[in-house]
Amino acid sequence: MEHTDRRDTEPESAPAGDPTAEPAAADGDQPGPGPRRTRLRRVRRITLAVLFILLVPLLTAETALRVNYMGDPADGTHTRDRDAIWLGHAWVDGRKDDADLAAFARRVKATGIRDLYVHTGPMEHDGTLPEALYPRARWLIDAVHREMPGVRVQAFLGDVLATESPDGMRLEKAATRAAVVDSARQVLDVGYDGVHLDLEPLHSGDRNYLSLLDDVRAVTRERDAQLSVAAHQIDPLPGFHSFWGTVAGHPKWWSQKFFGQVARRVDQIAVMSYDTMQPLESLYGGYVAQQTSLALEATPPTTHLLMGLPFYHENRFGHWAHAETVAAAVRGVRLGLSRTDADRERFGVAAYIDFAATEQDWTSYREGWVR
């Protein structure tokens, strides 16, 4: 409904004696606002127009996400026994022991978890990996293979990239990429069942990253080991990463094409489908449903696709704990799977991260996804 402001139709009269009052119109002049009032009115109209241009697409997109969360998931959209979980560094630096492993084994028994991404880095900015970071890695690998038959242990290797700040790993350097490949060999020599790379912030279209994946996969194939990656979210709208990079200086998303290029180079790709900026549980669930569909479309059936679950609780601009719940994520995953490829075999969810998880997180995972 259009709202009319009286100030737009009736000029205000100034109090008598007010030194800021407009001078009275001379005989024959048309009464009206002075230059200052005209400028203020123009600024107000421009501001309202800009807000309208920004808010209408946003409200339209959020409404679409809410609609995307509606409906019922298809029967059978539950675990394929191909799920994963990210584990903290305490498992390899000496803080965890046999009792901790036994308790964890009981926790994941009868769930779909078959891959553990164990934080073994971080790598140095030059791509090397200090051996002193993981003195208990061999113990963990042997204990998992003994206590949790069929579960793989992958070395989670990450670092910050120098894509948005002067400090970090530079993948454009061939020597750095070669060092990362050597780090992959290093952890496989220890006995890990695979290498899990998490390099952020990684901009869409990075050819150096694709080259790195080709080189690391040659090593993992030689060892009959897994290569998995943590992947950025996919553009919710075409080209959105370019727009957001211009506005915020942080592209955040990948194009669907680039996501597919990465997915074809790895054995497993795990979407970090959290930190979405969504303020409501229904909007977050709708967003996860959309991301699941986009990822399924881009991922070949020979690659194992996993959608991330937020097993942590923070409140900041990018992540609201009351909205980004495991229950909403699981329902979103099931809806996206139902609508896009309900029978996809190489599919699962990946929980981030063990040390921040609550009993409610585990319950929501088991009741919503494992059943």
Side-chain angles (χ1 to χ4, degrees), residues 235-364:
D235 280 334
L237 298 171
F240 198 72
H241 68 278
S242 297
F243 166 76
W244 197 255
T246 301
V247 171
H250 172 48
K252 182 177 173 66
W253 293 271
W254 289 352
S255 71
Q256 195 177 32
K257 177 182 177 181
F258 183 68
F259 188 96
Q261 291 173 330
V262 172
R264 288 190 292 273
R265 286 170 164 81
V266 299
D267 299 297
Q268 299 178 332
I269 184 166
V271 184
M272 296 180 285
S273 41
Y274 34 76
D275 293 349
T276 64
M277 298 181 285
Q278 297 303 321
L280 299 175
E281 196 172 20
S282 59
L283 299 180
Y284 172 62
Y287 182 89
V288 173
Q290 180 199 48
Q291 287 292 308
T292 302
S293 293
L294 292 171
L296 284 165
E297 292 169 356
T299 304
T302 52
T303 299
H304 179 186
L305 171 65
L306 301 107
M307 301 303 297
L309 304 181
F311 272 42
Y312 66 102
H313 306 268
E314 297 177 358
N315 286 299
R316 47 185 169 78
F317 173 70
H319 180 99
W320 302 106
H322 68 272
E324 297 199 12
T325 66
V326 175
V330 166
R331 176 173 164 78
V333 167
R334 293 188 62 209
L335 287 168
L337 184 63
S338 301
R339 295 163 182 162
T340 312
D341 191 353
D343 297 323
R344 178 73 67 109
E345 180 183 354
R346 295 180 180 272
F347 184 87
V349 297
Y352 184 87
I353 187 169
D354 71 308
F355 58 77
T358 65
E359 286 297 329
Q360 184 58 56
D361 294 333
W362 283 104
T363 297
S364 296

Side-chain angles (χ1 to χ4, degrees), residues 183-235:
S183 294
R185 289 194 186 95
Q186 184 177 318
V187 294
L188 294 177
D189 287 342
V190 174
Y192 278 102
D193 300 305
V195 176
H196 179 78
L197 294 178
D198 179 19
L199 303 174
E200 304 178 46
L202 181 63
H203 293 178
S204 184
D206 192 324
R207 303 299 305 180
N208 294 310
Y209 180 64
L210 298 181
S211 176
L212 173 64
L213 294 180
D214 290 336
D215 294 340
V216 175
R217 196 173 195 191
V219 172
T220 56
R221 279 180 166 172
E222 282 180 3
R223 310 290 188 91
D224 194 25
Q226 295 287 296
L227 172 58
S228 59
V229 295
H232 287 30
Q233 297 156 31
I234 301 173
D235 280 334

Side-chain angles (χ1 to χ4, degrees), residues 50 73 75 116 172 175 197 208 260 284 371:
V50 169
D75 293 338
L116 311 180
E172 66 271 20
L197 294 178
N208 294 310
Y284 172 62
R371 300 219 169 179

Side-chain angles (χ1 to χ4, degrees), residues 12 32 40 43 55 69 81-82 115 119 167 173 215 234-235 267 302 331:
E12 297 174 355
L40 290 174
V43 168
L55 286 177
Y69 196 57
D81 292 327
R82 293 178 177 271
D115 282 283
H119 192 266
D167 298 322
K173 294 184 177 181
D215 294 340
I234 301 173
D235 280 334
D267 299 297
T302 52
R331 176 173 164 78

